[in-house]
Amino acid sequence: MRRTAPMPKTERKSDHGDEALYALRHSTAHVMAGAVLELFPEAKFGFGPPVADGFYYDFDLPRPLTDEDLPRIEERMRATIARDLPFEHREMSAPDAIGFFTQRRQDYKVEQIEKLGGKDREDDTAGARNGKISIYQHGDFVDLCRGPHVKRTSEIGPFKLLSVAGAYWRGNERNPQLQRIYGTVWPTQKQLDEYLEKLKEIERRDHRALGRDLELFRIDEELGSGLVLWLPNLAIVREELETWWRQVHRARGYTLVYTPHIAHEKIYQRSGHIEKYGENMYGPLLLDEGTQRFWIKPMNCPGHIKVYQSKIHSYRELPLRIGELGTVYRYERGGTLHGMLRVRGFTQDDSHIFCSWAQAQSEIGKVFDLAMEFLRTFGYREPRIYLSTRPERRLGSDEMWDKAEKALADALGVREVPFQIDEGGGVFYAPKIDIKVMDAIGREWQGPTIQIDLNLPERFDVTFVNEKGERERAVMIHRVLFGSLERFVGGLIEHFAGNFPLWLNWEQAAIIPVRETARPYAEELAGKLRAAGFRVTLDDQPGDLRTRIKEAQRRKASYMLVVGDKEAVAGTVSVRRRGAGQGEEERGVKLDDLLARLVAERDTKALPADFQLRVTSAADALSS
RNA sequence: GCCGACGUAGCUCAGCCGGUAGAGCAGCGGUUUCGUAAACCGCCGGUCGGCAGUUCGAGUCUGCCCGUCGGCUCCA
């Protein structure tokens, strides 16, 4: 699963929170731009829209900004706010506006006016209506802008500038790069504080920091950037996930396979990967004096097709659901790598379902149900479903696209699942269903996807024999639930803040004898738990109890089981749950009761008691 | 890949205007056997990301490369 950018993009739809918040954010962006103009009279301005939780503005400046510039800009913004300037709106004809902004050397604004061409446009904050160009001004700062704004600068609430970053003009990497300042603004100080607190919470949950502290994973420069070492603790999490994944898939009629990690160039020529995806592939590996070329696999589909084609299939055998935890390698550009969330080698929980068109809708529905079960298991919530339809550049006939889109839509329709259509959002070879979910602190993540491949079955001539004894083209449904284990588990670390549910935790219980004398009892307890399949550490280190409790908490052991002479005599345990506060431990728990409780919690895959949903999205903050 | 910042011990960080590297935690060795979130003493540990250059002398200055971080672009 991929998290959407920590600093989310402009929301294109009318989803800016309410109008007042939109105006507030947008006005603050103007005030910031005005402050930048005061510091850099030669500044040129790009776009400066509101975004979720704040705003940004792009500038072309004579020198790079540093973090030290932000307080200076903030200071001037405060001065502007204190002057209580009005936001004045006026309109100009397009030629007048071009003349006006040309005179001010605002090349990007001029380009934008020319692009608008006097036509009504919905998509940009810079606006034109009925051939008139809309302008807003406060003080000396004049901007091409559709509005609306707050009435006066004094209405701007508590704000903070957050970061400086590079951004391409119009988001196109062939265009010049501008400097972007991100900021946030809120109606009240309390809301600003809450938002800043949420940013800190995000930092605390950062899987890279937790990954280091909890010895979960490591990325070593010498080994190669973007390549993840799963350390023993996280390897246990992965093993549990994989075991469960296999079990669930077998139960749902999947056939699990293994396919090789490198393959001959021939197959990637046929699949089109060399042509369409070659830039991202590792290779070629030259063998037999360079006469044979091999590539490292970037996707599992060709291998699964070969598995399917290992024999002729009758319609009676369909649907055939071929699954694999398939490890792939893709070259990603240096600047895009990010912990476990964006890597160069990863394992997909990939499956390809081969079926007839008549079966497609039902199969998609089954995948959808399975996807929802997965998300529920981990406590992800508020799933939002998107149906992404044919893009402009695509392969396959319109007739095929009609069928495929209909199968996806019908599968959702049968379940009465509300979904949104992402027009043109499909990939070039397939329409798809995307499921997006919220994590524990209200961030959106990309979840499972289901696609109907309209390319590979043709290229590989994938068929089955139908009731009439004819060869019929098979439908190929491509789906992932985790996506990649690296990204999914990286996301889980943040979602759980490192506090994994019992069934996944590498240290399910830490047994802590109070004194040496309780050691034999502690060992007996450890033995019983281990016999029941639990991962247990026995902390027989010297040191006082408080320290050993603290250490077990730091390691995020699910339970701390303290045993002393009293427990040894009574055959009980003192149970302290991870995250429990002072005096919350439970004394005198009978061994059998403890065991029963742990088994139940593990086997039901219960979410941990210290797992909480924290809802602090902008909309929630506003309504409070 | 692009823009900017950064790279000192396993981790977090100090190190002034260039003069031969320091702390806490962790680790190791002791002491302490303790009732629910930091006991005490000692020791080890660094080619200061790499390679060039400037200089009598570079962790400190310059260049190139690698990596990381914040974004952009791209994406499972």
Side-chain angles (χ1 to χ4, degrees):
Chain A
M1 288 215 300
R2 171 223 180 195
R3 191 176 69 218
T4 49
M7 199 65 68
K9 290 183 179 186
T10 312
E11 297 169 27
R12 292 244 167 229
K13 310 278 153 42
S14 57
D15 185 24
H16 297 283
D18 62 17
E19 278 291 302
L21 192 55
Y22 180 95
L24 176 64
R25 287 170 173 163
H26 195 32
S27 301
T28 312
H30 273 228
V31 169
M32 178 172 79
V36 169
L37 183 62
E38 287 175 25
L39 288 169
F40 302 96
E42 58 279 74
K44 292 178 184 178
F45 297 89
F47 292 129
V51 292
D53 298 335
F55 58 88
Y56 67 78
Y57 213 117
D58 289 342
F59 309 102
D60 188 344
L61 300 175
R63 69 163 174 87
L65 291 170
T66 66
D67 286 345
E68 287 79 68
D69 289 314
L70 296 183
R72 295 172 60 211
I73 296 167
E74 284 184 346
E75 201 178 307
R76 284 177 183 266
M77 289 171 69
R78 293 207 174 82
T80 305
I81 290 166
R83 282 166 68 197
D84 190 21
L85 301 165
F87 279 94
E88 293 169 298
H89 179 229
R90 67 195 133 107
E91 293 187 332
M92 295 184 186
S93 68
D96 286 353
I98 288 172
F100 180 83
F101 284 104
T102 303
Q103 195 196 334
R104 293 186 165 230
R105 299 175 171 278
Q106 290 302 332
D107 309 350
Y108 302 104
K109 297 295 176 187
V110 171
E111 185 187 317
Q112 179 62 8
I113 297 165
E114 282 167 349
K115 185 154 182 265
L116 290 168
K119 273 180 269 165
D120 281 9
R121 293 280 298 226
E122 275 295 310
D123 57 344
D124 283 312
T125 53
R129 288 194 189 92
N130 307 320
K132 290 288 187 185
I133 302 297
S134 169
I135 307 282
Y136 276 85
Q137 173 165 14
H138 75 276
D140 295 330
F141 180 74
V142 186
D143 201 0
L144 170 68
C145 174
R146 191 178 59 175
H149 281 283
V150 297
K151 289 200 183 60
R152 309 186 68 86
T153 57
S154 61
E155 289 174 39
I156 285 173
F159 69 91
K160 184 170 171 60
L161 302 187
L162 298 171
S163 62
V164 183
Y168 300 107
W169 166 239
R170 291 189 185 285
N172 186 323
E173 64 181 316
R174 285 186 302 276
N175 286 342
Q177 197 157 33
L178 308 177
Q179 299 189 67
R180 173 172 298 178
I181 302 177
Y182 281 102
T184 189
V185 60
W186 297 88
T188 67
Q189 185 67 39
K190 181 167 173 274
Q191 286 165 324
L192 176 65
D193 291 344
E194 280 169 5
Y195 178 67
L196 295 177
E197 181 50 40
K198 181 178 170 181
L199 292 185
K200 279 194 208 139
E201 178 68 21
I202 287 170
E203 228 178 285
R204 279 194 288 272
R205 287 171 179 254
D206 191 312
H207 75 284
R208 293 165 300 182
L210 289 169
R212 204 174 39 230
D213 296 346
L214 299 175
E215 299 175 24
L216 302 181
F217 72 97
R218 192 178 160 83
I219 293 169
D220 182 88
E221 183 190 334
E222 189 174 6
L223 186 72
S225 64
L227 301 173
V228 177
L229 292 162
W230 295 67
L231 301 181
N233 287 343
L234 202 61
I236 287 171
V237 174
R238 175 165 173 171
E239 192 183 325
E240 289 289 350
L241 289 172
E242 290 188 354
T243 303
W244 178 61
W245 186 92
R246 290 197 178 91
Q247 186 191 316
V248 165
H249 281 76
R250 289 224 166 82
R252 307 251 177 166
Y254 281 74
T255 305
L256 304 184
V257 301
Y258 295 93
T259 63
H261 289 191
I262 64 169
H264 198 283
E265 182 165 275
K266 288 183 277 192
I267 196 166
Y268 294 123
Q269 267 161 354
R270 182 150 176 200
S271 69
H273 281 111
I274 296 277
E275 189 198 337
K276 299 272 184 201
Y277 206 72
E279 298 239 311
N280 291 299
M281 290 168 64
Y282 285 99
L285 308 168
L286 301 175
L287 283 100
D288 294 336
E289 269 105 54
T291 58
Q292 303 293 313
R293 293 156 69 92
F294 287 79
W295 296 76
I296 298 174
K297 81 169 164 179
M299 295 184 192
N300 301 303
C301 349
H304 290 183
I305 288 173
K306 286 296 179 187
V307 169
Y308 178 86
Q309 292 182 321
S310 62
K311 62 177 190 171
I312 289 176
H313 291 286
S314 152
Y315 69 96
R316 295 176 206 271
E317 298 170 64
L318 303 189
L320 200 63
R321 310 179 185 99
I322 296 175
E324 178 181 12
L325 293 165
T327 303
V328 297
Y329 292 86
R330 301 179 185 174
Y331 174 75
E332 302 286 349
R333 297 148 112 196
T336 63
L337 302 175
H338 181 91
M340 296 185 82
L341 300 181
R342 188 72 187 274
V343 296
R344 285 176 171 159
F346 53 96
T347 300
Q348 296 178 302
D349 67 317
D350 215 351
S351 292
H352 295 90
I353 299 170
F354 297 87
C355 63
S356 68
W357 277 109
Q359 294 166 326
Q361 180 203 312
S362 143
E363 280 304 302
I364 292 158
K366 284 178 191 167
V367 171
F368 180 82
D369 293 341
L370 182 56
M372 298 310 267
E373 186 187 324
F374 262 63
L375 295 174
R376 215 172 23 248
T377 302
F378 299 100
Y380 287 106
R381 65 209 166 89
E382 291 176 43
R384 263 165 301 163
I385 322 297
Y386 298 86
L387 175 61
S388 300
T389 58
R390 68 196 78 185
E392 277 181 29
R393 256 193 66 245
R394 62 178 180 267
L395 298 168
S397 67
D398 284 350
E399 188 198 349
M400 295 285 279
W401 279 87
D402 287 342
K403 272 164 110 170
E405 287 170 7
K406 185 170 187 310
L408 292 170
D410 286 351
L412 294 172
V414 164
R415 282 166 179 70
E416 299 185 333
V417 173
F419 64 92
Q420 292 178 41
I421 293 192
D422 180 4
E423 206 71 60
V427 284
F428 69 91
Y429 58 86
K432 57 177 180 167
I433 292 172
D434 283 317
I435 303 175
K436 295 185 179 176
V437 291
M438 299 289 240
D439 74 2
I441 56 170
R443 290 178 299 172
E444 184 174 86
W445 295 73
Q446 168 70 52
T449 75
I450 310 168
Q451 308 176 348
I452 299 186
D453 196 309
L454 298 174
N455 177 42
L456 292 178
E458 301 289 328
R459 281 180 179 263
F460 283 93
D461 191 23
V462 180
T463 60
F464 63 91
V465 179
N466 66 18
E467 295 94 319
K468 297 175 205 152
E470 304 159 344
R471 294 220 167 201
E472 188 173 323
R473 173 78 62 239
V475 177
M476 183 170 153
I477 297 165
H478 171 116
R479 48 114 281 190
V480 290
L481 303 180
F482 291 139
S484 86
L485 282 163
E486 282 73 7
R487 186 173 279 178
F488 183 79
V489 171
L492 272 190
I493 294 170
E494 304 205 350
H495 178 55
F496 290 132
N499 297 313
F500 278 81
L502 188 65
W503 72 285
L504 293 174
N505 200 349
W506 48 92
E507 184 172 358
Q508 295 171 313
I511 298 177
I512 306 174
V514 175
R515 283 196 299 150
E516 194 78 38
T517 48
R519 184 76 177 280
Y521 182 62
E523 273 165 12
E524 184 193 334
L525 174 60
K528 283 191 175 156
L529 287 170
R530 284 183 183 134
F534 287 102
R535 296 178 283 270
V536 172
T537 59
L538 204 172
D539 183 352
D540 52 2
Q541 295 300 307
D544 72 35
L545 185 58
R546 284 157 28 92
T547 306
R548 290 179 291 157
I549 293 281
K550 183 186 182 305
E551 275 304 302
Q553 286 280 11
R554 196 195 57 73
R555 297 194 306 269
K556 296 192 180 292
S558 293
Y559 289 94
M560 281 136 273
L561 307 177
V562 176
V563 291
D565 298 337
K566 283 179 244 170
E567 283 81 4
V569 170
T572 60
V573 183
S574 169
V575 179
R576 182 190 174 107
R577 208 166 32 72
R578 178 186 59 209
Q582 270 205 329
E584 277 192 67
E585 72 272 7
E586 215 184 325
R587 305 211 182 197
V589 179
K590 289 230 169 59
L591 226 60
D592 289 346
D593 292 347
L594 171 71
L595 213 53
R597 270 158 61 177
L598 293 186
V599 167
E601 179 176 344
R602 177 188 64 190
D603 294 352
T604 58
K605 300 186 170 51
L607 292 169
D610 53 1
F611 174 76
Q612 300 162 4
L613 299 178
R614 286 172 40 119
V615 184
T616 50
S617 71
D620 296 319
L622 269 181
S623 62
S624 65

